[in-house]
Amino acid sequence: MNVLVVGGGVIGLAAAWRAQRSGLTVTVIDPEPASKASHASAGMLPGGSAQLYGQPDLLSLCVDSRNLIPSFVAELEEFAPAGYRRDGVLDAAFDEDAFQALARQQSLQESVGVRTERLTPEECHKLQPAFAPVLGGLLSPDDGSVDPRTFTAALSTAFQALGGTLVRQRVTRITDHQVTLGNGDTAAFDRLVLAAGCWTHRIEGPPPGAIPEIRPVRGQIVRLHSDTPLLNLTARANIRGTSLYLVPRLDGELAIGGTYEDGGYDEAPTAEGTRELLTRAAEVIPGVGALRFSEISVGLRPGSPDGLPLIGATAVPDVYLASGHYRMGVQLAPITAQIITALLTDTTPPASAAPFSPRRLG
C-alpha cells in the first residue's frame, strides 16, 4: 500500500515511522520537515493538566499515550537519541490559589493511575534550589520531558532508515487519489494522512467541510542557556491562575513557555512576548537573569473547532486526518501514530480513539 503523509512535524513523522515499520510504503511531504509547531514546543510531558478537567475522553487518550511513551522512545532510540528525560515533573504553587489547586490535580492524576507525591516547601526547594519561595508542590516522578527538536530529528532518521521517503515540497491540491505539489508534480496514493497542523484545511480539493478548519494559536517560547542546568527537573510554576512551563535540558538550555495568542499565521516573535516570559520567569526563578539568551521562537499550535484532536477517517475516501492537537502534539504523538497505523492497516485502533473521529464535526 502506498501511503502519503502530508506534514513533517512530530505528528506526521510519528505516524509515518510507525506505518513504515508496519510494512507500508510511506512518503512524507513537507517543505520544511521537523519545523513549525514541533520546532517551537517546550516538550513537557506532564502527568496531567488543567486542560483535562471535565474532559474524560481527552484524559483517556492522554493516559494511553503516556503509557506508550517509554516503549515508543526505546524503539526510536535504536536509530537515534530522542532527547527523553523521565526524572519527574514538579508543579510548584507560588500563591494560595495555586496551592489549593494541587489537591484537585492530584486527585485527577491518581484517578487514572498516575503516581504523585505532595511536597512541602522545603522539599520543593531541595529539588529546585533556584526557585523563589513556594507554598508547596506536586511531583509526578514517572513523567518528564522530551527535546522536540531532537525527538523529531530521531523520528525522521528512523523513518528514512526503514526505507521511508521524504519529499521537501508543499501539497497544494488533493484530487481523486492524487496530490499536486508546489512544483507542479503529482503523486498518487492509496491512502493519504493529513497532518499539516493549522495549514491542513488550506489545501485545495476536498469538498467544503470535509476537512474542519484548524485555527493557529501562537505560542512564544524563550530559550536561555547556562554552563550547568539552572533547574534540576521539568516544572510548572503556577501563579495568579497561569502556568509557566520550565523545561531544562542536560546541556544547560532552559526552555520557558508559553504564551497563547490569536495572532493568525504571523510567525514573527514579539518584544512583548519576550518581555512577558522573562518577567514571569524572574518572578519564580530570581537568578534567571544571569542566563545567556539563546532564542525566542514561535509555534502555531493547531486548534480544532471544538478544541479536541482530530484523528481518523474523513468523509473523503482513503483520506485520514491527524491534526488539531493544540498544545499536546508531542504528548499525543505515540497514541496518534498507533491510531493512524491501525486505520491504515485495517486493524482495530484503541478504544480511546473513537471520540476523536473528524466525522464528529459533520
Side-chain angles (χ1 to χ4, degrees), residues 95-117:
D95 61 23
E96 186 62 33
D97 287 343
F99 180 74
Q100 296 299 326
L102 293 180
R104 184 185 185 194
Q105 183 175 330
Q106 183 176 30
S107 177
L108 174 76
Q109 293 186 204
E110 293 191 345
S111 71
V112 291
V114 176
R115 190 162 64 100
T116 62
E117 299 174 15

Side-chain angles (χ1 to χ4, degrees), residues 50-350:
Q51 189 176 350
L52 301 177
Y53 295 146
Q55 298 275 14
D57 293 334
L58 184 58
L59 177 61
S60 178
L61 191 73
C62 286
V63 170
D64 280 0
S65 198
R66 176 185 180 273
N67 292 340
L68 290 173
I69 285 172
S71 60
F72 186 93
V73 169
E75 293 175 25
L76 184 59
E77 290 192 328
E78 294 175 9
F79 299 91
Y84 177 53
R85 295 180 62 176
R86 196 184 186 188
D87 50 4
V89 173
L90 174 64
D91 275 277
F94 286 85
D95 61 23
E96 186 62 33
D97 287 343
F99 180 74
Q100 296 299 326
L102 293 180
R104 184 185 185 194
Q105 183 175 330
Q106 183 176 30
S107 177
L108 174 76
Q109 293 186 204
E110 293 191 345
S111 71
V112 291
V114 176
R115 190 162 64 100
T116 62
E117 299 174 15
R118 285 296 295 267
L119 302 184
T120 65
E122 294 76 19
E123 290 169 328
C124 291
H125 181 71
K126 185 176 180 180
L127 276 179
Q128 302 280 43
F131 269 176
V134 302
L135 275 67
L138 182 69
L139 177 66
S140 303
D142 301 323
D143 295 281
S145 66
V146 67
D147 183 339
R149 298 179 181 183
T150 305
F151 190 52
T152 51
L155 287 167
S156 180
T157 296
F159 166 65
Q160 293 178 84
L162 293 178
T165 302
L166 186 60
V167 175
R168 294 177 179 269
Q169 285 289 331
R170 182 171 60 93
V171 171
T172 60
R173 175 173 288 275
I174 302 167
T175 52
D176 184 19
H177 290 85
Q178 180 176 278
V179 299
T180 301
L181 308 183
N183 63 359
D185 290 348
T186 60
F189 64 83
D190 295 312
R191 289 184 176 174
L192 176 70
V193 179
L194 297 176
C198 58
W199 290 270
T200 302
H201 70 281
R202 304 182 89 181
I203 300 172
E204 298 178 353
I211 308 299
E213 182 173 349
I214 301 170
R215 76 187 191 283
V217 181
R218 282 166 46 96
Q220 302 191 51
I221 290 184
V222 166
R223 286 178 167 79
L224 308 178
H225 202 277
S226 55
D227 293 333
T228 58
L230 181 62
L231 299 185
N232 294 323
L233 74 163
T234 300
R236 276 185 296 215
N238 302 299
I239 184 170
R240 290 190 297 279
T242 65
S243 294
L244 186 70
Y245 303 118
L246 305 163
V247 185
R249 317 283 187 216
L250 295 176
D251 65 355
E253 181 180 87
L254 177 63
I256 303 173
T259 65
Y260 303 94
E261 311 159 29
D262 289 320
Y265 286 87
D266 184 359
E267 296 179 78
T270 65
E272 175 61 25
T274 306
R275 183 202 64 78
E276 177 187 342
L277 291 172
L278 292 178
T279 300
R280 291 168 63 192
E283 188 173 6
V284 298
I285 311 174
V288 76
L291 272 63
R292 299 187 295 276
F293 184 87
S294 296
E295 173 190 313
I296 183 164
S297 54
V298 173
L300 301 182
R301 303 179 185 91
S304 70
D306 62 1
L308 299 174
L310 297 159
I311 311 169
T314 71
V316 181
D318 297 320
V319 175
Y320 300 82
L321 190 56
S323 189
H325 293 75
Y326 190 36
R327 60 186 183 185
M328 292 185 169
V330 175
Q331 187 177 350
L332 293 175
I335 190 64
T336 301
Q338 184 183 73
I339 294 167
I340 292 296
T341 300
L343 294 171
L344 293 174
T345 56
D346 296 317
T347 56
T348 303

